[in-house]
Amino acid sequence: MNKFEQNIFDHLNPIIEANGVELCDVEFRKINDEDNLTIFLYTEDGITLNDCERIHNIIDPVLDELDPTKNGPYRLNVSSLGLDRPFKTNRDFERYLGLPVELKFYKKIDGKKWVNGVLADFNDDVITLDINDKIFEFDKKDIALARPYVEF
């Protein structure tokens, strides 16, 4: 998260948490030549469209007052994390302890660019997966992408 996004996160987090929802991430980027501010939410029970609308209505006046774009136009989006959204924080990893995840490496490790397994543990340096009842440790610096493993 850059400083701009972190500032918005810091302002919105206590308000969103006070409404029983976890603020997970803030993204500000251009989509189709339009500035978009997306607020990502999480609850144990999942995020509904009503949750998104409720939080949108709560934070919209706060953002108007904060004026993060200095009167520049932007589209405000409020969203759930999504099924296969990449992990960005330790909290993302905590949510998936004991659950299937997949890792993509910057370069092949033991001939593989991707692996999936159950997230057994993690710290600032290492991700530990249980792959077919065998424990494997992977250095975070070698991991290009970590996300929930979704089987369709």
Side-chain angles (χ1 to χ4, degrees), residues 29-108:
R29 62 186 178 127
K30 278 209 181 295
I31 301 174
N32 298 326
D33 292 326
E34 185 176 62
D35 286 333
N36 280 259
L37 175 62
T38 305
I39 307 300
F40 291 98
L41 307 175
Y42 175 81
T43 67
E44 290 287 326
D45 298 327
I47 294 294
T48 67
L49 186 57
N50 288 339
D51 294 326
C52 291
E53 181 180 16
R54 179 173 63 87
I55 297 299
H56 185 286
N57 291 335
I58 291 167
I59 65 172
D60 195 32
V62 175
L63 289 167
D64 285 347
E65 188 175 314
L66 181 62
D67 191 18
T69 60
K70 308 295 183 229
N71 289 321
Y74 65 92
R75 180 179 306 271
L76 175 60
N77 306 298
V78 179
S79 177
S80 70
L81 287 176
L83 288 177
D84 64 348
R85 185 172 177 278
F87 299 158
K88 294 184 175 185
T89 66
N90 282 343
R91 180 69 181 114
D92 291 333
F93 285 98
E94 287 171 10
R95 276 189 207 94
Y96 281 87
L97 276 172
L99 297 172
V101 299
E102 65 182 347
L103 306 178
K104 179 183 179 184
F105 305 112
Y106 289 110
K107 58 184 179 183
K108 289 183 180 181

